[in-house]
């Protein structure tokens, strides 16, 4: 495909999609570096082997999967010109994203209640990795929520139509990436750490 072909709008749309994929690629490399550091650090003598993931992190998995599904339904509803269902599903996705962050906070509280801290005398390298990885992911979910707020605002302004929904598509792509990333991180932290 010749990237110099097409209207200015088509070129701008391709550039926006490419920028998102470059960003996602850099996030993949960042989390790959963190998980690689965990794999190397597991061989340390002070590595914990008896840690159990907090139950709240299981709940956050359910919330984030449902949020991805609700975003898919929102996009389909917009393609079918069902604006009210689109609105409901976008708001539901946002609420589920907030629920994800709240459940992560509850998970951190469960970790602290178990006597594990990020730093200090009661901390260890295993827990520090878990804190850093989960917190960085929460920051990316927060970025996804900001993106979702922009989509909801633009939807209320009727900037999206069945044929013109680039902003929603970009936000959905990032949201699904963050969802898949959490599922990977959760499985990694559950079975590898």
């Amino acid at each position: 495909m010749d990237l110099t072909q097409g209207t200015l709008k088509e070129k701008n749309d391709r550039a926006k999609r490419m920028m998102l994929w470059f960003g996602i690629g850099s996030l993949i490399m960042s989390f790959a570096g963190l998980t690689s550091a965990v794999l190397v650090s597991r061989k340390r003598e002070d590595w914990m082997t008896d840690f159990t993931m907090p139950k709240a992190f299981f709940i956050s998995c359910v919330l984030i999967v449902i949020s991805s599904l609700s975003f898919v339904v929102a996009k389909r509803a917009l393609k079918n010109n069902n604006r009210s269902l689109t609105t409901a599903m976008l708001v539901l996705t946002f609420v589920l994203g907030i629920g994800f962050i709240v459940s992560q906070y509850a998970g951190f509280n469960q970790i602290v209640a178990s006597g594990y801290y990020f730093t200090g005398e009661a901390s260890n390298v295993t827990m520090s990795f878990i804190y850093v990885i989960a917190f960085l992911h929460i920051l990316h979910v927060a970025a996804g929520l900001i993106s979702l707020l922009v989509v909801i605002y633009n939807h209320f302004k009727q900037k999206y139509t069945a044929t013109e929904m680039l902003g929603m598509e970009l936000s959905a792509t990032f949201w699904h990436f963050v969802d898949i990333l959490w599922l990977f991180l959760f499985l990694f932290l559950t079975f590898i750490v």
Side-chain angles (χ1 to χ4, degrees):
M1 170 183 210
D2 186 356
L3 296 178
T4 62
Q5 299 296 316
T7 65
L8 182 60
K9 182 187 176 330
E10 290 170 338
K11 291 177 187 177
N12 283 336
D13 289 355
R14 278 195 304 266
K16 289 174 184 175
R17 283 186 179 96
M18 190 62 91
M19 292 283 290
L20 175 65
W21 284 108
F22 280 138
I24 287 173
S26 69
L27 291 175
I28 289 170
M29 290 189 309
S30 297
F31 280 96
L34 283 170
T35 53
S36 295
V38 168
L39 292 174
V40 170
S41 297
R42 292 183 341 160
K43 296 178 179 155
R44 293 172 47 132
E45 290 179 18
D46 60 346
W47 189 261
M48 275 180 56
T49 57
D50 59 346
F51 176 72
T52 303
M53 290 294 278
K55 290 187 182 359
F57 283 6
F58 290 97
I59 294 167
S60 64
C61 285
V62 172
L63 292 173
I64 208 146
V65 167
I66 295 170
S67 75
S68 241
L69 296 174
S70 64
F71 213 146
V72 168
V73 172
K75 279 181 55 183
R76 286 189 184 156
L78 185 60
K79 286 181 182 178
N80 293 326
N81 291 313
N82 187 341
R83 297 194 69 79
S84 61
L85 181 59
T86 302
T87 301
M89 290 296 107
L90 287 173
V91 170
L92 177 61
T93 303
F94 183 80
V95 169
L96 289 167
I98 295 293
F100 174 85
I101 290 177
V102 168
S103 69
Q104 292 285 291
Y105 179 76
F108 284 126
N109 283 339
Q110 290 173 3
I111 291 172
V112 169
S114 298
Y116 302 115
Y117 296 90
F118 177 60
T119 62
E121 291 179 16
S123 70
N124 62 54
V125 68
T126 309
M127 294 314 301
S128 294
F129 271 118
I130 290 173
Y131 274 102
V132 167
I133 289 171
F135 182 74
L136 284 175
H137 183 265
I138 289 170
L139 289 179
H140 291 92
V141 170
L145 287 172
I146 292 168
S147 167
L148 192 53
L149 281 176
V150 171
V151 167
I152 292 169
Y153 175 80
N154 287 337
H155 174 65
F156 280 122
K157 291 288 198 174
Q158 298 190 0
K159 291 187 177 183
Y160 302 126
T161 65
T163 57
E164 195 62 42
M165 56 173 28
L166 178 67
M168 183 182 282
E169 289 172 348
L170 294 175
S171 181
T173 299
F174 183 73
W175 192 258
H176 297 317
F177 164 71
V178 169
D179 294 357
I180 291 167
L181 177 62
W182 174 250
L183 294 176
F184 163 74
L185 292 172
F186 177 77
L187 292 172
F188 179 81
L189 294 173
T190 300
F191 296 110
I192 301 299
V193 174

